[in-house]
């Protein structure tokens, strides 16, 4: 699946106007640039955060039974730079090898609190030959922020990124 021209939705917010396709085009370019992994994951976090309802974006890599924060972009650092695979929404996405969307974090017992303003969360695993190697974790200050477009879009980013990590 090609990113450019695929997602179609325009978004507007405090951070200005843009579209998922604009973000996808820039992501595709950097992911395929041959840059170092850390430079790529840093860029991906910064770029994804331009989407108005993506308040905090992090990329965790799988390290044995732990998830280790590789890159992040957001208003503040998380208290969870290392999470056990059995814990949190982050752990659930790895165990289930599937995207987890939580519309209201305060009503999900798996949720590991990080930021006082977070209301909803999406976690998308990066699979290599069916094995989870990393994940993209996005928090939103809005309740039920993540739509089917977000799911398709972030899964596309995860697939692109998995090919170079
Ligand atoms: N809320 C996550 C923990 C990571 S922070 O959001 C950055 C979870 O429940 O796994």
């Amino acid at each position: 699946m090609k990113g450019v021209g695929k997602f179609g939705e325009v978004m507007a917010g405090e951070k200005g106007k843009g579209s998922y396709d604009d973000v996808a085009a820039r992501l595709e370019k950097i992911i395929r640039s041959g840059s170092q992994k850390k430079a790529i994951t840093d860029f991906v976090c910064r770029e994804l955060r331009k989407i108005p309802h993506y308040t905090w974006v992090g990329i965790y890599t799988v390290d044995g039974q732990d998830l280790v924060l590789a890159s992040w972009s957001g208003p503040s650092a998380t208290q969870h730079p290392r999470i056990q695979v059995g814990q949190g929404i982050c752990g659930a996405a790895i165990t289930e090898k599937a995207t987890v969307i939580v519309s209201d974090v305060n009503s999900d017992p798996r949720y590991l609190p990080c930021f006082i303003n977070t209301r909803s969360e999406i976690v998308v695993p990066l699979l290599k030959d069916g094995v989870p190697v990393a994940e993209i974790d996005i928090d939103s200050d809005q309740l039920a922020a993540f739509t089917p477009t977000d799911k398709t879009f972030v899964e596309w980013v995860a697939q692109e990124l998995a090919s170079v990590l």
Side-chain angles (χ1 to χ4, degrees), residues 56 60 78 80 83 87-91 110-112 114-115 121 137 139:
W56 188 93
Y60 286 89
T78 171
H80 301 291
I83 298 170
Q87 289 188 335
I89 312 294
C90 285
R110 298 171 299 180
Y111 178 64
L112 287 177
C114 266
F115 311 111
E121 182 163 2
D137 174 22
D139 285 33

mmCIF file of all heavy atoms in Angstrom, residues 56 60 78 80 83 87-91 110-112 114-115 121 137 139, ligand 1:
data_model
loop_
_atom_site.group_PDB
_atom_site.id
_atom_site.type_symbol
_atom_site.label_atom_id
_atom_site.label_comp_id
_atom_site.label_asym_id
_atom_site.label_seq_id
_atom_site.Cartn_x
_atom_site.Cartn_y
_atom_site.Cartn_z
ATOM 1 N N TRP A 56 0.772 13.018 22.298
ATOM 2 C CA TRP A 56 2.092 12.458 22.668
ATOM 3 C C TRP A 56 2.311 11.223 21.798
ATOM 4 O O TRP A 56 1.403 10.389 21.658
ATOM 5 C CB TRP A 56 2.113 12.065 24.146
ATOM 6 C CG TRP A 56 3.463 11.661 24.673
ATOM 7 C CD1 TRP A 56 4.388 12.461 25.281
ATOM 8 C CD2 TRP A 56 4.044 10.341 24.647
ATOM 9 N NE1 TRP A 56 5.504 11.729 25.620
ATOM 10 C CE2 TRP A 56 5.316 10.427 25.249
ATOM 11 C CE3 TRP A 56 3.622 9.095 24.170
ATOM 12 C CZ2 TRP A 56 6.169 9.325 25.390
ATOM 13 C CZ3 TRP A 56 4.461 7.994 24.309
ATOM 14 C CH2 TRP A 56 5.719 8.123 24.914
ATOM 15 N N TYR A 60 8.331 2.428 21.060
ATOM 16 C CA TYR A 60 9.009 1.483 21.954
ATOM 17 C C TYR A 60 9.552 0.327 21.117
ATOM 18 O O TYR A 60 8.885 -0.130 20.178
ATOM 19 C CB TYR A 60 8.019 0.895 22.964
ATOM 20 C CG TYR A 60 7.581 1.823 24.071
ATOM 21 C CD1 TYR A 60 6.478 2.658 23.913
ATOM 22 C CD2 TYR A 60 8.245 1.838 25.292
ATOM 23 C CE1 TYR A 60 6.051 3.494 24.943
ATOM 24 C CE2 TYR A 60 7.829 2.668 26.330
ATOM 25 C CZ TYR A 60 6.732 3.493 26.145
ATOM 26 O OH TYR A 60 6.322 4.313 27.167
ATOM 27 N N THR A 78 7.593 10.629 29.569
ATOM 28 C CA THR A 78 6.772 9.644 30.276
ATOM 29 C C THR A 78 7.524 9.068 31.473
ATOM 30 O O THR A 78 8.751 8.973 31.451
ATOM 31 C CB THR A 78 6.341 8.494 29.333
ATOM 32 O OG1 THR A 78 5.727 7.476 30.109
ATOM 33 C CG2 THR A 78 7.510 7.908 28.568
ATOM 34 N N HIS A 80 7.201 6.086 32.071
ATOM 35 C CA HIS A 80 7.313 4.673 31.692
ATOM 36 C C HIS A 80 8.240 4.476 30.489
ATOM 37 O O HIS A 80 7.796 4.058 29.422
ATOM 38 C CB HIS A 80 5.926 4.094 31.351
ATOM 39 C CG HIS A 80 4.938 4.172 32.464
ATOM 40 N ND1 HIS A 80 5.041 3.420 33.610
ATOM 41 C CD2 HIS A 80 3.825 4.927 32.616
ATOM 42 C CE1 HIS A 80 4.031 3.700 34.413
ATOM 43 N NE2 HIS A 80 3.289 4.621 33.833
ATOM 44 N N ILE A 83 8.593 -0.773 29.915
ATOM 45 C CA ILE A 83 7.329 -1.408 30.318
ATOM 46 C C ILE A 83 7.461 -2.907 30.082
ATOM 47 O O ILE A 83 7.952 -3.324 29.024
ATOM 48 C CB ILE A 83 6.157 -0.860 29.450
ATOM 49 C CG1 ILE A 83 5.984 0.648 29.655
ATOM 50 C CG2 ILE A 83 4.850 -1.581 29.759
ATOM 51 C CD1 ILE A 83 5.020 1.304 28.665
ATOM 52 N N GLN A 87 2.355 -5.737 30.670
ATOM 53 C CA GLN A 87 1.684 -4.608 31.320
ATOM 54 C C GLN A 87 1.167 -3.555 30.340
ATOM 55 O O GLN A 87 1.765 -3.339 29.287
ATOM 56 C CB GLN A 87 2.660 -3.898 32.259
ATOM 57 C CG GLN A 87 3.002 -4.706 33.490
ATOM 58 C CD GLN A 87 3.814 -3.893 34.481
ATOM 59 O OE1 GLN A 87 4.498 -2.951 34.092
ATOM 60 N NE2 GLN A 87 3.729 -4.254 35.741
ATOM 61 N N GLY A 88 0.101 -2.885 30.764
ATOM 62 C CA GLY A 88 -0.377 -1.697 30.041
ATOM 63 C C GLY A 88 -1.031 -1.999 28.709
ATOM 64 O O GLY A 88 -1.112 -3.144 28.257
ATOM 65 N N ILE A 89 -1.519 -0.928 28.095
ATOM 66 C CA ILE A 89 -2.068 -1.013 26.744
ATOM 67 C C ILE A 89 -0.908 -1.366 25.809
ATOM 68 O O ILE A 89 -1.064 -2.107 24.836
ATOM 69 C CB ILE A 89 -2.659 0.355 26.304
ATOM 70 C CG1 ILE A 89 -3.573 0.962 27.372
ATOM 71 C CG2 ILE A 89 -3.364 0.252 24.964
ATOM 72 C CD1 ILE A 89 -4.817 0.216 27.654
ATOM 73 N N CYS A 90 0.272 -0.810 26.149
ATOM 74 C CA CYS A 90 1.475 -1.061 25.343
ATOM 75 C C CYS A 90 1.797 -2.546 25.297
ATOM 76 O O CYS A 90 2.100 -3.092 24.238
ATOM 77 C CB CYS A 90 2.657 -0.278 25.908
ATOM 78 S SG CYS A 90 2.549 1.472 25.536
ATOM 79 N N GLY A 91 1.723 -3.194 26.460
ATOM 80 C CA GLY A 91 2.002 -4.624 26.512
ATOM 81 C C GLY A 91 0.940 -5.428 25.770
ATOM 82 O O GLY A 91 1.257 -6.405 25.079
ATOM 83 N N ARG A 110 -6.358 -1.993 32.093
ATOM 84 C CA ARG A 110 -4.989 -2.281 31.648
ATOM 85 C C ARG A 110 -4.137 -1.023 31.604
ATOM 86 O O ARG A 110 -2.915 -1.093 31.566
ATOM 87 C CB ARG A 110 -5.002 -2.889 30.234
ATOM 88 C CG ARG A 110 -5.721 -4.196 30.130
ATOM 89 C CD ARG A 110 -5.881 -4.606 28.675
ATOM 90 N NE ARG A 110 -6.657 -3.626 27.908
ATOM 91 C CZ ARG A 110 -6.942 -3.742 26.610
ATOM 92 N NH1 ARG A 110 -6.501 -4.774 25.921
ATOM 93 N NH2 ARG A 110 -7.661 -2.820 25.984
ATOM 94 N N TYR A 111 -4.795 0.133 31.561
ATOM 95 C CA TYR A 111 -4.099 1.407 31.316
ATOM 96 C C TYR A 111 -3.069 1.742 32.392
ATOM 97 O O TYR A 111 -3.364 1.737 33.583
ATOM 98 C CB TYR A 111 -5.141 2.523 31.218
ATOM 99 C CG TYR A 111 -4.552 3.901 31.021
ATOM 100 C CD1 TYR A 111 -3.834 4.214 29.878
ATOM 101 C CD2 TYR A 111 -4.718 4.901 31.988
ATOM 102 C CE1 TYR A 111 -3.283 5.479 29.702
ATOM 103 C CE2 TYR A 111 -4.180 6.166 31.813
ATOM 104 C CZ TYR A 111 -3.473 6.445 30.671
ATOM 105 O OH TYR A 111 -2.930 7.692 30.493
ATOM 106 N N LEU A 112 -1.853 2.067 31.951
ATOM 107 C CA LEU A 112 -0.796 2.569 32.846
ATOM 108 C C LEU A 112 -0.791 4.086 32.726
ATOM 109 O O LEU A 112 -0.413 4.618 31.674
ATOM 110 C CB LEU A 112 0.583 2.075 32.391
ATOM 111 C CG LEU A 112 0.983 0.630 32.602
ATOM 112 C CD1 LEU A 112 2.361 0.394 31.981
ATOM 113 C CD2 LEU A 112 1.034 0.314 34.087
ATOM 114 N N CYS A 114 0.069 7.896 32.497
ATOM 115 C CA CYS A 114 1.299 8.632 32.180
ATOM 116 C C CYS A 114 1.084 10.123 32.322
ATOM 117 O O CYS A 114 1.815 10.802 33.008
ATOM 118 C CB CYS A 114 1.689 8.376 30.738
ATOM 119 S SG CYS A 114 2.843 7.060 30.578
ATOM 120 N N PHE A 115 0.082 10.607 31.600
ATOM 121 C CA PHE A 115 -0.142 12.052 31.535
ATOM 122 C C PHE A 115 -1.558 12.334 32.036
ATOM 123 O O PHE A 115 -2.506 11.669 31.629
ATOM 124 C CB PHE A 115 0.029 12.562 30.103
ATOM 125 C CG PHE A 115 1.289 12.077 29.452
ATOM 126 C CD1 PHE A 115 1.245 11.170 28.412
ATOM 127 C CD2 PHE A 115 2.528 12.501 29.916
ATOM 128 C CE1 PHE A 115 2.409 10.690 27.836
ATOM 129 C CE2 PHE A 115 3.702 12.032 29.352
ATOM 130 C CZ PHE A 115 3.639 11.121 28.303
ATOM 131 N N GLU A 121 -6.130 6.397 23.680
ATOM 132 C CA GLU A 121 -4.794 5.918 23.290
ATOM 133 C C GLU A 121 -4.919 4.896 22.168
ATOM 134 O O GLU A 121 -5.881 4.136 22.114
ATOM 135 C CB GLU A 121 -4.131 5.275 24.527
ATOM 136 C CG GLU A 121 -2.715 4.775 24.297
ATOM 137 C CD GLU A 121 -1.946 4.530 25.613
ATOM 138 O OE1 GLU A 121 -2.530 4.710 26.703
ATOM 139 O OE2 GLU A 121 -0.761 4.157 25.525
ATOM 140 N N ASP A 137 3.045 4.208 20.014
ATOM 141 C CA ASP A 137 2.064 4.496 21.068
ATOM 142 C C ASP A 137 1.677 5.969 20.953
ATOM 143 O O ASP A 137 2.551 6.836 20.984
ATOM 144 C CB ASP A 137 2.716 4.211 22.430
ATOM 145 C CG ASP A 137 1.832 4.627 23.602
ATOM 146 O OD1 ASP A 137 0.614 4.729 23.422
ATOM 147 O OD2 ASP A 137 2.389 4.848 24.700
ATOM 148 N N ASP A 139 -0.952 8.966 22.488
ATOM 149 C CA ASP A 139 -1.941 9.411 23.467
ATOM 150 C C ASP A 139 -2.657 10.641 22.910
ATOM 151 O O ASP A 139 -2.030 11.473 22.248
ATOM 152 C CB ASP A 139 -1.255 9.852 24.770
ATOM 153 C CG ASP A 139 -0.761 8.690 25.608
ATOM 154 O OD1 ASP A 139 -0.369 7.664 25.029
ATOM 155 O OD2 ASP A 139 -0.758 8.827 26.847
HETATM 156 N N1 LIG B 1 -0.362 4.371 28.752
HETATM 157 C C1 LIG B 1 0.558 3.351 28.342
HETATM 158 C C2 LIG B 1 1.914 3.549 28.976
HETATM 159 C C3 LIG B 1 2.823 4.373 28.163
HETATM 160 S S1 LIG B 1 2.513 6.047 28.242
HETATM 161 O O1 LIG B 1 1.187 6.352 27.682
HETATM 162 C C4 LIG B 1 3.631 6.853 27.352
HETATM 163 C C5 LIG B 1 0.012 1.976 28.647
HETATM 164 O O2 LIG B 1 -1.042 1.844 29.248
HETATM 165 O O3 LIG B 1 0.664 0.990 28.282
#
